[in-house]
Amino acid sequence: MKVFCGRANPTTGSVEWLEEDEHYDYHQEIARSSYADMLHDKDRNVKYYQGIRAAVSRVKERGQKALVLDIGTGTGLLSMMAVTAGADFCYAIEVFKPMADAAVKIVEKNGFSDKIKIINKHSTEVTVGPDGDMPCRANILVTELFDTELIGEGALPSYEHAHRHLVQENCEAVPHRATVYAQLVESRRMWSWNKLFPIHVQTSLGEQVIVPPLELERCPGAPSVYDIQLNQVSPADFTVLSDVLPMFSVDFSKQVSSSAACHSRQFEPLVSGRAQVVLSWWDIEMDPEGKIKCTMAPFWAHSDPEGLQWRDHWMQCVYFLSQEEPVIQGSALCLVAHHDDYCVWYSLWRTSPEKNGGDLHQVRPVCDCQAHLLWNRPRFGELNDQDRTDQYVQALGTVLKPDSICLCVSDGSLLPMLAWHLGAKQVFTVECSAASHRLMKKIFKANHLEEKINIIEKRSELLTPADLGGKKVSLLLGEPFFTTSLLPWHNLYFWYVRTAVDQHLVPSAIVMPQAASLHAMVVEFRDLWRIRSPCGDCEGFDVHIMDDMVKRALDFRESREAEPHPLWEYPCRSLSEPQRILTFDFRQLVPQQPVRAEGAIELRRPGRSHGAVLWMDYHLTPDSTVSTGLLRPAGDKGDCCWNPHCKQAVYFFSTSLDPRVPLSSPQSVTYTVEFRPHTGDITMDFRLSDDLGSVH
């Protein structure tokens, strides 16, 4: 059976209806899932196995049968561990049907079908009784329902229901307990991911300062957590204001509540500063004694920083206080962790709120300024990057004339303000969404420019001469940045817009950026390769079926494409020099025919070729280029410094992702890349070839 799937094309801005296999979305979810990353998490697997053995032993010592309920079984790994540890029977629940089907096959292949029952339901739909999914309640509860925030995947409601309906009172639980930790810090870099800073513009008339509206400054921000690889944030980028504070714990062996709650911890600041950001992580104890522990702590709070387990399915959390607060060394404060059934947030109090009758049960903060809904964290950082602003100012200064009529085409951009301050005669800017229109209107008003910059709320393709007051545009501007863009080349939407508005441009109009180029480089990742690497054997259990399932999913069209990753969080080493693959000339209209490039990237350094990284460079003028990829040439050892505000595209070489398979040293990587104007797609194929010319 075929189905039609609507897909927004971020390059052309249109919605396309494509005929796909009925399991298409399932394949995409599998292909992009963290299953491989979890199976490669040795620390997680070993600790779970130890905890399960101990729990089964405790039940057996009481003379009881060990009946296990495994919620969110995935591959069935934890259930197989339980049976191997001596469990009499396991009920393994998996709501995602393709995964449940795979678990059935994996369990059968490993010889446990008589001891493990896979139940393809949500745990809240499971029934207990003579005619139910389980004949009786379990006495051991095994789960892996956690995300980076611990509770973000609905762990608390699932536990609450399980204790009420599926497991015995005072059951054994693996993990037994989880504890959430927090640390208060001051960090201009991280704070720049949450607030708009004053932006300085050097003009011929002196310095102008773009200020954020008061509403944006007072806004509590987005309620969602920012999960990152905190180990990649330099200690120089933040000042620690508090010790690591244990904020709250959840005992999974007892009844769990999903109701909103809050937990306060009094502390004395270690130094004076400005409280801005709360860094947070958690650990899980697999046994009641707390001897078997798995922690997400970053290196400075880890008991064994040299033995850190890299993982991407669990990272660390960055939370932003609603407002920055001055703190004084030694002067007691109270940090409060709030949570509902899915989210955590923090507040800072001068005195203990309980003593003063304060209302700890605050409502989850919600953005009321629009900015946090329209700009993601990296976009805030990009707008606050003064060096980047200076580069645009310098480029604008070379193309602007006193009679310039400017049209800006980017989402939520400050370029119109730069153009006005630099002397443009008239400035128009297009904002497609009503929310973006409202936000930019507030920003212009805060800077007394609401009467000087014309905001047009419509798609650029629908512009009429009347929208531009009958004037012709002499300078078309773009960063380019569009909120719908996922991969670096999706911002080529600017080229389509430039083509659509050509009728509104004077014949000699200047387009900035004048061109863009797609670049590629072959790299060896320190760790990121693990998310696509086959596992084969996991703690003695054969999970090849899962590997095959992922491989089949990756054979689907969209899954074979590159995927976005913020590489500043994922260190890699360049094995080649960066190479320009395609060039797009914005001074010309979008071509009618595909643009194709074939070639080879020569490898300069030895290493395991995990994949190609691709990014876009935007050539503002002949002398000014803004890169979304490498910020500077790689060092002698190939170490890379990536633009921290952008996601780069990674095309994984499947033949290089299995560390058990020896590879001959490739001499080059051949590529075929094609830009298809009618769909906006960029298709690509990379192949490793050795010195004998063979292809892997």
Side-chain angles (χ1 to χ4, degrees):
M1 177 181 174
K2 297 288 186 178
V3 296
F4 284 96
C5 297
R7 186 177 65 150
N9 188 315
T11 308
T12 62
S14 63
V15 175
E16 301 166 357
W17 291 92
L18 304 175
E19 188 181 61
E20 302 288 2
D21 183 273
E22 63 180 318
H23 299 305
Y24 174 75
D25 288 338
Y26 286 162
H27 283 281
Q28 293 311 301
E29 186 165 338
I30 295 163
R32 303 299 184 210
S33 71
S34 298
Y35 287 120
D37 180 32
M38 289 187 285
L39 292 175
H40 283 290
D41 189 341
K42 182 75 174 177
D43 180 60
R44 162 192 176 271
N45 298 339
V46 168
K47 301 293 175 55
Y48 260 100
Y49 211 166
Q50 292 173 347
I52 289 170
R53 286 195 191 101
V56 171
S57 294
R58 288 192 297 273
V59 169
K60 292 287 189 178
E61 287 171 1
R62 295 196 291 266
Q64 301 173 352
K65 284 188 173 182
L67 302 177
V68 176
L69 174 63
D70 176 7
I71 301 179
T73 193
T75 59
L77 177 65
L78 302 185
S79 288
M80 293 189 294
M81 288 179 175
V83 171
T84 305
D88 293 279
F89 203 84
C90 292
Y91 300 94
I93 301 172
E94 176 55 53
V95 68
F96 185 42
K97 189 176 189 308
M99 198 67 245
D101 292 343
V104 169
K105 295 175 184 177
I106 291 171
V107 166
E108 182 180 7
K109 185 176 181 64
N110 285 273
F112 296 113
S113 294
D114 60 331
K115 291 287 187 77
I116 299 174
K117 178 183 179 182
I118 306 296
I119 303 172
N120 179 209
K121 290 183 176 181
H122 193 283
S123 64
T124 57
E125 299 172 340
V126 171
T127 57
V128 176
D131 298 320
D133 300 303
M134 302 166 55
C136 62
R137 293 186 178 222
N139 54 13
I140 300 176
L141 176 58
V142 176
T143 59
E144 207 280 55
L145 300 171
F146 314 118
D147 66 352
T148 293
E149 200 174 18
L150 184 70
I151 66 172
E153 291 186 358
L156 295 182
S158 295
Y159 272 111
E160 185 175 43
H161 177 271
H163 277 286
R164 286 179 177 171
H165 302 286
L166 305 178
V167 296
Q168 299 174 16
E169 188 176 357
N170 297 319
C171 69
E172 299 288 342
V174 182
H176 179 82
R177 181 187 299 107
T179 302
V180 173
Y181 299 89
Q183 190 168 35
L184 190 67
V185 303
E186 174 182 354
S187 173
R188 178 176 175 80
R189 180 188 178 189
M190 287 187 264
W191 195 237
S192 76
W193 300 337
N194 183 57
K195 298 289 184 180
L196 184 62
F197 295 169
I199 296 167
H200 301 266
V201 183
Q202 298 297 331
T203 75
S204 59
L205 300 177
E207 183 180 83
Q208 300 290 330
V209 181
I210 298 173
V211 298
L214 193 60
E215 186 178 346
L216 199 156
E217 289 189 316
R218 291 175 174 172
C219 180
S224 57
V225 63
Y226 190 20
D227 52 337
I228 66 172
Q229 293 282 356
L230 201 53
N231 288 311
Q232 297 307 314
V233 177
S234 169
D237 282 334
F238 61 93
T239 300
V240 171
L241 300 179
S242 78
D243 291 321
V244 175
L245 306 171
M247 296 306 301
F248 64 92
S249 295
V250 182
D251 186 336
F252 298 124
S253 69
K254 300 177 181 177
Q255 180 60 59
V256 172
S257 172
S258 62
S259 300
C262 53
H263 313 268
S264 63
R265 290 291 179 269
Q266 194 170 39
F267 70 99
E268 293 185 358
L270 302 175
V271 296
S272 298
R274 302 193 69 80
Q276 298 168 326
V277 175
V278 176
L279 308 180
S280 182
W281 57 89
W282 49 264
D283 64 31
I284 45 178
E285 296 170 358
M286 300 298 183
D287 60 324
E289 296 78 23
K291 295 179 180 178
I292 309 169
K293 182 181 292 188
C294 185
T295 181
M296 306 307 118
F299 66 86
W300 65 87
H302 202 284
S303 58
D304 180 21
E306 297 300 320
L308 276 175
Q309 168 73 54
W310 184 87
R311 48 174 67 97
D312 203 46
H313 59 106
W314 295 329
M315 293 186 277
Q316 293 81 36
C317 301
V318 174
Y319 296 96
F320 303 95
L321 296 178
S322 59
Q323 301 295 324
E324 62 178 3
E325 298 282 351
V327 299
I328 300 173
Q329 181 179 4
S331 181
L333 294 169
C334 203
L335 185 65
V336 181
H338 311 259
H339 74 79
D340 53 22
D341 50 350
Y342 280 89
C343 293
V344 179
W345 64 96
Y346 286 87
S347 63
L348 190 65
W349 296 65
R350 291 289 169 186
T351 57
S352 175
E354 296 98 331
K355 293 181 180 178
N356 291 334
D359 181 16
L360 281 178
H361 296 278
Q362 295 183 341
V363 176
R364 185 198 309 178
V366 176
C367 170
D368 54 20
C369 76
Q370 305 292 322
H372 301 90
L373 304 179
L374 293 165
W375 298 335
N376 60 20
R377 307 300 192 188
R379 177 60 173 167
F380 267 98
E382 188 171 57
L383 292 172
N384 285 321
D385 187 336
Q386 186 66 51
D387 290 339
R388 180 179 182 274
T389 297
D390 291 344
Q391 192 169 357
Y392 277 90
V393 168
Q394 291 169 12
L396 267 171
T398 66
V399 297
L400 264 176
K401 299 176 182 177
D403 62 348
S404 290
I405 306 297
C406 300
L407 174 62
C408 181
V409 183
S410 280
D411 289 348
S413 176
L414 304 183
L415 274 183
M417 304 176 75
L418 301 186
W420 177 263
H421 283 311
L422 290 171
K425 180 179 180 180
Q426 193 164 4
V427 180
F428 298 90
T429 185
V430 175
E431 294 293 345
C432 296
S433 73
S436 185
H437 180 276
R438 288 194 296 270
L439 171 62
M440 297 315 296
K441 192 172 182 178
K442 293 173 188 174
I443 295 175
F444 294 163
K445 185 176 182 179
N447 289 275
H448 311 292
L449 297 176
E450 70 270 29
E451 301 297 329
K452 298 173 181 176
I453 299 176
N454 298 278
I455 309 178
I456 304 169
E457 186 187 336
K458 62 168 56 176
R459 291 182 63 84
S460 303
E461 300 91 321
L462 303 177
L463 280 179
T464 65
D467 294 322
L468 300 171
K471 297 182 173 65
K472 290 284 188 177
V473 173
S474 59
L475 179 57
L476 180 65
L477 300 174
E479 296 189 40
F481 171 85
F482 300 98
T483 55
T484 55
S485 299
L486 299 175
L487 291 163
W489 46 88
H490 287 167
N491 285 320
L492 287 176
Y493 177 52
F494 176 77
W495 202 8
Y496 289 84
V497 170
R498 177 263 179 273
T499 301
V501 303
D502 186 63
Q503 60 181 311
H504 302 297
L505 308 182
V506 300
S508 58
I510 295 172
V511 180
M512 191 189 99
Q514 66 177 26
S517 52
L518 176 67
H519 296 253
M521 185 173 71
V522 179
V523 302
E524 176 183 47
F525 286 107
R526 184 194 300 173
D527 297 296
L528 186 62
W529 60 272
R530 300 175 193 275
I531 69 171
R532 295 289 170 263
S533 177
C535 186
D537 180 275
C538 185
E539 304 308 316
F541 301 99
D542 186 344
V543 293
H544 279 93
I545 290 170
M546 181 65 203
D547 294 337
D548 295 340
M549 184 180 178
V550 171
K551 185 177 184 303
R552 286 195 302 273
L554 290 171
D555 283 339
F556 269 63
R557 170 185 47 77
E558 191 169 294
S559 299
R560 289 199 303 269
E561 297 176 356
E563 54 192 61
H565 291 282
L567 292 188
W568 73 267
E569 295 184 55
Y570 303 102
C572 62
R573 194 169 63 90
S574 70
L575 302 184
S576 74
E577 297 301 316
Q579 188 159 320
R580 181 179 294 196
I581 304 296
L582 288 175
T583 298
F584 312 94
D585 189 348
F586 298 151
R587 294 168 297 184
Q588 307 296 322
L589 304 184
V590 174
Q592 295 297 309
Q593 301 301 318
V595 180
R596 183 183 178 91
E598 296 180 354
I601 302 175
E602 300 299 322
L603 302 189
R604 305 295 186 185
R605 299 180 182 89
R608 198 169 188 90
S609 303
H610 287 136
V613 176
L614 300 101
W615 67 92
M616 299 289 287
D617 281 358
Y618 294 101
H619 310 290
L620 306 183
T621 67
D623 301 318
S624 180
T625 296
V626 172
S627 179
T628 68
L630 280 181
L631 294 184
R632 54 178 178 266
D636 293 339
K637 296 181 179 179
D639 296 331
C640 302
C641 179
W642 299 101
N643 187 323
H645 312 312
C646 305
K647 288 185 177 181
Q648 293 73 39
V650 178
Y651 184 104
F652 287 107
F653 303 153
S654 59
T655 53
S656 296
L657 299 177
D658 190 343
R660 300 163 300 181
V661 177
L663 283 179
S664 57
S665 298
Q667 301 299 304
S668 65
V669 173
T670 60
Y671 63 83
T672 302
V673 178
E674 184 174 272
F675 170 65
R676 298 175 178 174
H678 294 294
T679 63
D681 287 338
I682 289 185
T683 62
M684 60 192 68
D685 183 49
F686 290 86
R687 292 173 179 265
L688 303 177
S689 58
D690 58 28
D691 53 356
L692 299 177
S694 61
V695 175
H696 305 289

